[in-house]
Amino acid sequence: MDFQNEALRQKAIIAQLRERFEKEYKETGRKKTYCCVTFGCQMNARDSEKLSGILEAIGYTRVEEEDADFVIYNTCTVREHANLKVYGRLGTLKKVKQEHPGMLIALCGCMMQEPQVVEKLRKSYRHVDIIFGTHNIYKLAELIRDRLDSGSMIVDIWKDTDQIVEDLPDHRKYPFKSGVNIMFGCNNFCSYCIVPYVRGRERSRRPEDILEEIRRDVSDGVVEVMLLGQNVNSYGKNLDEPMSFARLLQEIEAIDGLERIRFMTSHPKDLSDELIEVMGSSKKICPHLHLPLQSGSSRILKKMNRKYTKEDYLALVDKIRAACPDISLTTDIIVGFPWETEEDFEETMDVVEKVRFDSAFTFIYSKRNGTPAAAMPDQVPADVIKDRFDRLLAKVQSIASVVCARHEGQVMDVLVEQLNHQEAGLVTGRLGNNTVVHFPGDASMIGKIVPVYLKSCKGFYYIGEPYKKEV
Ligand code: SAH
Ligand code: SF4
Ligand code: F3S
């Protein structure tokens, strides 16, 4: 398939639908609405911006309520809980649709890449109109047209793709910060993880496409970018002209007007010395690294197929801290992986004590069909897992509250993101290391980076005061 032509073809379909909708609007006097609900990670959040861009180009207006003319769930299946939530909400949506003739319901995202899910939907959720997967989101307009023309359920799932369609409409959630995909898919096959099966093989975008997107965002007012990929450290390996992630970062750093660069996620096995050096000397890369540990036990890490040991991880942390002394480290940890003994768990607790993370996302192991771990015996009993989970969480939180407070009394730059939800007269923003700060301010400050005196730390966030230089 020629993917440049494909983008043009989709734009033509968008234009046709737009015309059709405008005609309807003239007759009914009513604009059609859409609601896009996102589950899962930042990759999905970014996909939802692209879906929203297409829907708005067609002529739908965004609403937050799920009784819109077009409701789309962008799903996640990384843990069973994410999966169950979708079925629950689909049940509720059935009643809404009964009272809203003409409503369309679409499902997409990672969960749709699982054949047994689609089978169940086809059988028992006939009120769903359109089902597609992670590889063909750019086709949304075409799928809507096909549904409107055929009047029957449309299912279009691709097993994998080796191409990337560039240059379709998209709608960014924030005017001042953006998420930019630098790669898609994952080749790591950690034994517990379903992502490689539902997101396909690793594909990097061409550096010129990434740089052009960021330059365009910056000229639109963006000051902070988040570079997205399941394993950003292996960026560029499969390009016609291979390029390292560290080199890409240097090129992004040179973009005038861009103030902050973030990225996620980093796999410890691929984090290079070159990257550490670039991070150490950069003025724009934020002092924050999300470095998923998963387990502190080398024995379990081997069964997880993570390709590093406890010692490798600790040595890497030392190297990073030597180059970037003030960096905030955050992580992901899984509790209750098959075969995890009390001793293995103690190793995880030991790493948490040694590294002293700014925060850690802790997950109870969830068995995912089709992954190697799902076939492993000796699943740990639920009460044992719960007990370990509670102990880990308590340790993570008590360390985090001390670590996060290390900047109390200092003045640091905050990117103001929004008005405070709870208290009038306050705004909320983030430090370079990603810690949240609330301080007095108004809507005119949103999107600006301002110095703030960090008065007191309340566990995992700060209360601050605007800082005015004395003259
Ligand atoms: N690509 C990222 C992680 C993506 S998934 C990385 O490799 O770090 C986000 C997190 O979900 C993972 O880091 C892991 O901690 C958790 N996770 C993935 N599969 C899981 C499962 N089956 N059960 C519990 N947690 C899981
Ligand atoms: Fe899953 Fe591992 Fe890939 Fe992360 S690196 S998405 S945990 S398989
Ligand atoms: Fe979930 Fe897919 Fe992300 S499974 S975590 S939405 S890549």
Side-chain angles (χ1 to χ4, degrees):
M1 195 191 296
D2 177 342
F3 274 74
Q4 232 163 357
N5 277 341
E6 185 56 24
L8 291 175
R9 206 171 73 81
Q10 292 302 323
K11 281 183 189 164
I13 299 173
I14 290 172
Q16 280 167 16
L17 277 178
R18 187 175 185 94
E19 212 173 291
R20 189 157 159 179
F21 278 29
E22 268 166 15
K23 226 188 243 161
E24 278 184 35
Y25 172 58
K26 280 199 189 109
E27 285 159 18
T28 61
R30 215 186 127 263
K31 286 239 184 232
K32 284 194 193 293
T33 56
Y34 82 94
C35 173
C36 178
V37 182
T38 312
F39 301 85
C41 66
Q42 305 222 21
M43 239 71 63
N44 254 21
R46 177 65 186 135
D47 284 350
S48 287
E49 292 185 344
K50 296 178 184 172
L51 296 165
S52 301
I54 294 174
L55 290 167
E56 286 172 22
I58 292 173
Y60 283 107
T61 308
R62 187 188 186 95
V63 293
E64 300 307 321
E65 299 76 36
E66 284 178 44
D67 63 350
D69 298 299
F70 189 89
V71 174
I72 181 161
Y73 289 170
N74 189 6
T75 63
C76 169
T77 189
V78 76
R79 285 169 289 275
E80 196 183 3
H81 178 67
N83 207 295
L84 294 175
K85 266 202 301 207
V86 171
Y87 288 121
R89 286 174 79 149
L90 265 184
T92 318
L93 216 50
K94 187 171 185 176
K95 293 183 205 87
V96 179
K97 191 173 180 183
Q98 278 159 359
E99 284 158 27
H100 190 144
M103 175 179 181
L104 293 180
I105 299 175
L107 294 174
C108 66
C110 296
M111 203 175 142
M112 301 306 125
Q113 294 292 140
E114 294 182 274
Q116 74 276 15
V117 168
V118 175
E119 208 172 299
K120 180 166 168 176
L121 292 167
R122 273 186 200 268
K123 261 203 210 120
S124 316
Y125 293 80
R126 297 295 308 168
H127 58 294
V128 175
D129 298 284
I130 300 173
I131 298 175
F132 57 109
T134 54
H135 302 301
N136 53 350
I137 60 167
Y138 72 88
K139 271 184 77 179
L140 176 60
E142 184 175 349
L143 300 173
I144 294 176
R145 184 197 64 188
D146 291 351
R147 170 63 185 79
L148 291 174
D149 290 349
S150 73
S152 52
M153 191 192 235
I154 302 284
V155 180
D156 190 6
I157 313 278
W158 300 1
K159 272 212 165 62
D160 204 348
T161 181
D162 56 359
Q163 292 289 350
I164 298 167
V165 178
E166 299 280 355
D167 196 30
L168 277 168
D170 89 64
H171 172 93
R172 271 191 285 106
K173 189 167 172 202
Y174 300 96
F176 54 87
K177 66 171 184 178
S178 65
V180 176
N181 297 110
I182 62 166
M183 60 205 297
F184 301 93
C186 180
N187 284 354
N188 290 308
F189 291 95
C190 302
S191 64
Y192 50 82
C193 184
I194 200 164
V195 170
Y197 304 88
V198 296
R199 286 274 172 179
R201 294 295 62 72
E202 198 173 283
R203 283 149 285 141
S204 295
R205 278 177 80 196
R206 297 185 316 162
E208 52 269 38
D209 291 331
I210 297 170
L211 291 164
E212 193 187 305
E213 179 174 334
I214 299 176
R215 281 193 205 103
R216 202 175 53 222
D217 286 351
V218 169
S219 67
D220 268 4
V222 162
V223 291
E224 177 179 300
V225 287
M226 167 72 93
L227 309 174
L228 298 169
Q230 292 298 353
N231 177 12
V232 291
N233 300 328
S234 70
Y235 170 80
K237 288 185 182 157
N238 61 356
L239 287 168
D240 292 341
E241 287 172 47
M243 179 193 216
S244 69
F245 179 53
R247 272 289 319 284
L248 178 73
L249 280 172
Q250 284 176 309
E251 299 214 0
I252 295 173
E253 172 119 9
I255 296 177
D256 275 340
L258 182 66
E259 306 274 352
R260 285 180 169 186
I261 305 169
R262 300 184 185 279
F263 52 83
M264 76 185 310
T265 300
S266 287
H267 194 305
K269 80 175 165 65
D270 293 314
L271 203 142
S272 66
D273 290 351
E274 186 196 10
L275 176 61
I276 295 176
E277 214 179 291
V278 167
M279 287 176 71
S281 58
S282 166
K283 302 240 170 347
K284 295 185 180 175
I285 300 174
C286 289
H288 171 215
L289 184 67
H290 186 66
L291 194 63
L293 168 69
Q294 312 304 3
S295 168
S297 154
S298 298
R299 198 180 75 91
I300 293 293
L301 285 167
K302 191 154 199 301
K303 292 191 191 300
M304 287 179 162
N305 194 28
R306 290 289 288 180
K307 301 200 169 77
Y308 53 86
T309 62
K310 175 186 183 184
E311 290 69 32
D312 295 336
Y313 189 93
L314 290 172
L316 185 60
V317 165
D318 285 346
K319 235 195 297 186
I320 293 162
R321 286 209 164 122
C324 319
D326 196 32
I327 197 160
S328 289
L329 292 174
T330 58
T331 201
D332 293 345
I333 299 171
I334 298 176
V335 179
F337 185 79
W339 279 303
E340 184 189 74
T341 62
E342 179 60 24
E343 273 164 19
D344 293 318
F345 176 69
E346 288 297 337
E347 299 273 7
T348 300
M349 295 285 264
D350 185 46
V351 175
V352 168
E353 266 165 33
K354 288 200 164 98
V355 176
R356 301 181 64 76
F357 294 105
D358 275 63
S359 77
F361 294 103
T362 49
F363 304 108
I364 286 179
Y365 168 69
S366 172
K367 185 171 156 177
R368 306 314 290 132
N369 274 338
T371 62
M376 291 179 187
D378 282 348
Q379 310 277 343
V380 188
D383 56 334
V384 174
I385 296 180
K386 176 80 176 67
D387 173 65
R388 287 181 194 160
F389 183 83
D390 291 347
R391 281 152 63 205
L392 176 65
L393 193 63
K395 184 169 297 282
V396 160
Q397 286 178 341
S398 79
I399 292 174
S401 65
V402 178
V403 172
C404 287
R406 69 188 182 281
H407 297 298
E408 221 171 51
Q410 296 178 9
V411 175
M412 292 180 92
D413 282 344
V414 173
L415 170 57
V416 183
E417 299 198 337
Q418 59 201 14
L419 294 175
N420 189 287
H421 290 313
Q422 265 127 40
E423 216 177 307
L426 290 188
V427 290
T428 298
R430 282 176 195 272
L431 298 177
N433 73 11
N434 216 28
T435 307
V436 168
V437 183
H438 307 292
F439 67 101
D442 58 48
S444 71
M445 296 159 92
I446 293 174
K448 300 212 166 83
I449 295 178
V450 295
V452 175
Y453 169 68
L454 303 173
K455 202 162 68 179
S456 63
C457 184
K458 310 277 179 198
F460 57 93
Y461 65 89
Y462 279 101
I463 298 293
E465 289 288 345
Y467 175 71
K468 290 195 186 64
K469 264 196 207 134
E470 286 173 31
V471 269

